[in-house]
Amino acid sequence: MRLTKSTDIALRIAMRLAVLDHREDAPTTREVAGAVQVPYTHAAKVVSRLQHLGVVEARRGRNGGLSLTEAGRTGSLGRLVRELEGVGDVVGCEDDPPCPLRAACRLRGALRTAQEAFFAALDPLSIEDLVDTPTGPLLLSLSPRPEG
């Protein structure tokens, strides 16, 4: 199973925020995008989605910036990935044209079971777990790309 680019960006942003969380100056979306090397426009869309899910808090103004919520820090990684990915089928049985085997196919059920096992393996983990050593120190060493 491969995660969407949006989910990948969301997890990288959440991890970056987790290691910066206790700093006085909260990073902006632009700064976080630069540090995790994703386009600002993509990061802005992902941050909006993470806000909607209650994972990230964004404050505007002079003392503004992004921070990870407690739910974002300690919540189930499996739940977060399910929310970001959606729960659709791994294969396009109902695509246009639909698969002619869909009425009697055992593959769809097997792939659904495998997909759930993938998410279940992430359930006991949190973003906080992901930023333990050696990842946390590496994330702290990242600096935003210069604008160009």
Side-chain angles (χ1 to χ4, degrees):
M1 184 169 163
R2 183 177 176 102
L3 299 178
T4 63
K5 187 71 171 169
S6 179
T7 298
D8 174 42
I9 292 169
L11 295 175
R12 285 194 270 163
I13 287 173
M15 290 168 66
R16 174 68 173 180
L17 293 175
V19 297
L20 296 177
D21 219 27
H22 302 293
R23 307 247 168 150
E24 287 181 27
D25 53 335
T28 65
T29 301
R30 190 168 302 282
E31 291 167 342
V32 172
V36 298
Q37 299 185 1
V38 298
Y40 169 75
T41 53
H42 289 30
K45 289 177 189 173
V46 167
V47 165
S48 177
R49 178 88 168 112
L50 290 171
Q51 278 182 271
H52 178 74
L53 293 173
V55 173
V56 168
E57 181 182 331
R59 293 174 309 282
R60 295 186 181 270
R62 187 169 186 207
N63 294 322
L66 303 175
S67 62
L68 206 57
T69 64
E70 185 62 25
R73 180 182 346 294
T74 61
S76 166
L77 185 62
R79 182 200 60 80
L80 177 58
V81 173
R82 279 181 189 90
E83 290 286 332
L84 292 167
E85 287 290 307
V87 288
D89 285 328
V90 175
V91 292
C93 302
E94 302 298 331
D95 288 354
D96 189 25
C99 177
L101 305 176
R102 72 187 180 283
C105 182
R106 297 178 65 192
L107 176 61
R108 186 180 199 175
L111 290 173
R112 190 175 295 124
T113 300
Q115 180 183 33
E116 184 48 41
F118 173 82
F119 292 134
L122 299 175
D123 281 339
L125 299 172
S126 67
I127 294 294
E128 199 168 61
D129 294 326
L130 297 180
V131 298
D132 256 348
T133 303
T135 307
L138 177 61
L139 282 162
L140 281 172
S141 74
L142 299 176
S143 58
R145 292 181 296 201
E147 292 291 320

